[in-house]
């Protein structure tokens, strides 16, 4: 699983307006005690790690990654930019981080 849109806690309910990073924390908490095969997909905000993962997974048939800004909210029906493929990640220059 990679996102949660509605939290079972009645005090939280619809979490779509919350930032992606906060929804991820909620998802990790919700699934903390759930055994496989249900699991949270790996996530990173490190560019080099993302490139390593996609290069390792591409031979297994994984064609891309989901790339979202941590502050983004969920907008139903908005697919946003397409997920970058391994070749797209390799061709990009490493982003500058202050």
């Amino acid at each position: 699983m990679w996102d949660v849109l509605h939290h079972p806690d009645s005090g939280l309910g619809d979490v779509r307006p919350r930032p992606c990073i906060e929804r991820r924390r909620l998802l990790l908490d919700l699934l903390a005690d759930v055994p496989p095969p249900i699991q949270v997909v790996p996530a990173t905000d490190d560019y080099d790690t993302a490139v390593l993962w996609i290069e390792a997974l591409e031979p297994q048939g994984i064609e891309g990654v989901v790339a979202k800004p941590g502050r983004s909210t969920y907008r139903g029906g908005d697919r946003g930019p397409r997920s970058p493929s391994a070749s797209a990640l390799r061709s990009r220059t490493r982003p500058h981080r202050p």
Side-chain angles (χ1 to χ4, degrees), residues 28-97:
L28 289 168
D29 183 54
L30 284 170
L31 297 180
D33 297 324
V34 176
I38 296 173
Q39 60 188 6
V40 178
V41 296
T44 184
D45 60 1
D46 181 77
Y47 179 82
D48 293 329
T49 300
V51 170
L52 287 174
W53 284 353
I54 195 64
E55 287 176 343
L57 293 172
E58 188 178 38
Q60 298 174 37
I62 304 298
E63 297 177 352
V65 297
V66 174
K68 295 185 76 138
R71 66 187 176 282
S72 67
T73 59
Y74 181 86
R75 296 183 309 263
D78 180 7
R79 302 293 288 179
R82 297 190 58 90
S83 297
S85 66
S87 59
L89 280 174
R90 283 191 296 271
S91 68
R92 296 173 84 184
T93 58
R94 192 169 198 280
H96 172 71
R97 299 214 179 186

